[in-house]
Amino acid sequence: MKLNKILALGASLALSAALLAGCAPAASDPTDTPSNTQTQQPADPTEAPISGTVNTDGSTSMADVMAAFQESFEVIQPDVTVNYSGTGSGSGITNVLNGTVDIGLASRALTDEEKAEGAVENIVALDGVAVVINPANTVTSLTVEQIAQIYNGTITNWSELGGADAPIAVIGRDAASGTRGAFEEIVGVEDQCVYTNEYESTGEVIGSVAGNPNAIGYASLSAVDDSVVAVEVNGVAPSEATVADGTYEIQRPFVMVTKEGTELSPAAQVFLDWAMSADAADEIEAAGCVSPNA
Amino acid sequence: MEKGARQKGKAGGVRPLESVMQLIFFICGFIAIAFVLVITIYLIISGLPAIREIGLVDFLFGQEWASTAKEPKFGILPMILTSVYGTAGAILIGVPIGFLMAVFLSKVAPRRVAAVVRPVVDLLAGIPSIVYGLVGLMVLVPFIRETFNTAAGESLLAAIVVLAVMILPSIISVSETALNAVPKEYEEASLALGATDIETYFRISAPAAKSGIAAAVVLGVGRAIGEAMAIMMVAGNVANMPDLLTSVRFLTTGIAVELAYSSGLQRQALFSIGLVLFLFIMCINVILNVFLKRDKEG
């Protein structure tokens, strides 16, 4: 009996020891990775001409594009680490101007003031925002002005647009969304939107429009599927071709921002050159955008 | 055997092990308290700066929430009222149904029927909240849209119905336990005096179990006010002043909808919403404890 108890105690102690041990590797992980890169670095100059870290920072809308870039660039330049943090276009531009990151990311064109401060615009991709309605809706084409009026609450019934006599359910994203920011800015309804429903993801917007014949919503062109219909805007249907040639109006550029007069590190320069080249077109397409350089 | 072990223990080296185990128990017990403390402190630290910057009155009683506008507004009154109305509505629907169901299970139902119904109620408690939301979205929302001819069915009403169903199991099981605990003699005395069964249940059993039933209601309130996932799918999430058929935003969904991409003061304000919600739930827990204590004493 005594033996049993001691065994049981021993077992529980061993268990708790195992638990503690389980914590240990996790804690030492972060220290592992730097030491790995350290061991790699001495080998770099002999093997590959370029190594280093590229820090990018900015638009959360560019997360998909950046993830595709990171994945592919790792193969092209194994010794270059591309870091991305999504902090918002504004902070990305500020950070590159302050010199805290190599490349800033903005999901909008730069303003004249920003350019005056030395920000340089490198458009790597174009992102179309599609306006989607339920397949049951008979309206198929809208003007940008009509879309603006729907979103600011001037037009509230589909019959005003030649559709059925039904109230319009205005669907949008949450206030922090990059797609919402882009849409409202392009259409010219910033801070004036009267939403019926707001959702925290593009998928929910599509789902809501697909399930409600009265609904209108917006989503990244790449996220549009068969469950909804993307309306023609000013007579132009959204597609990669119409976004690339600029005829589809509701679109925004994805910009890699650099600072005038500041030389990029070799690694950052190689990364930017690659991202701006036709070689990156596949990654841009995979992320649901259109490459202007293809 | 047991005695022998204890004697040997006294003589041998079990004592140090005993104190080691005691220490382990103490640490485990302390971890739970530590979590509560850490969360409380963290919420206060991260929730206060935004309130200080926005101003307590503007924050709590501001009627407009526009967190990313050029001139941002951080008024959470619409969310507070929505949470209060939504919870009250759910209680208004859920409590009568839940209470009658508990009376049915505890007193009226034949044993075999109760044996089938009770596991079903327990199952209802085990359904993940997102499933409630999904069913609400697929069934309830289109129904409300078509019945009231509104643009979209996502509304306070849809949220109330979903919440009412969600709080049913806890109301039923806690009320039933309270009703079962009523001494048989009370009911027998009532029946012996000529009261009918139904009179006995409602005039004798229910009053005798009233603090337990009150605890069930408070538990329901706590569950309803803290729910986020299910109502995010059916409430529409626009921070309007609450109206039965408009899209509304609860305190919980207010945090959940915007947190992912938020930054700066907006993010801090979301933590402040969390702090307000936390205080609400603290109050509810205190009330619950008062009822439960009274139940034990009474």
Side-chain angles (χ1 to χ4, degrees), chain B residues 80-100:
Chain B
I80 294 178
L81 288 181
T82 299
S83 275
V84 171
Y85 289 1
T87 306
I91 292 295
L92 224 57
I93 298 175
V95 166
I97 297 175
F99 169 67
L100 293 178

Side-chain angles (χ1 to χ4, degrees), chain A residues 9 175 191 196-199 212, chain B residues 17 70 151 154 236-237 247 249:
Chain A
L9 267 176
D191 304 340
T196 310
N197 289 339
E198 287 176 27
Y199 293 98
N212 184 349
Chain B
L17 278 177
K70 289 218 176 60
E154 283 89 350
N237 309 324
S247 155
R249 188 182 285 192

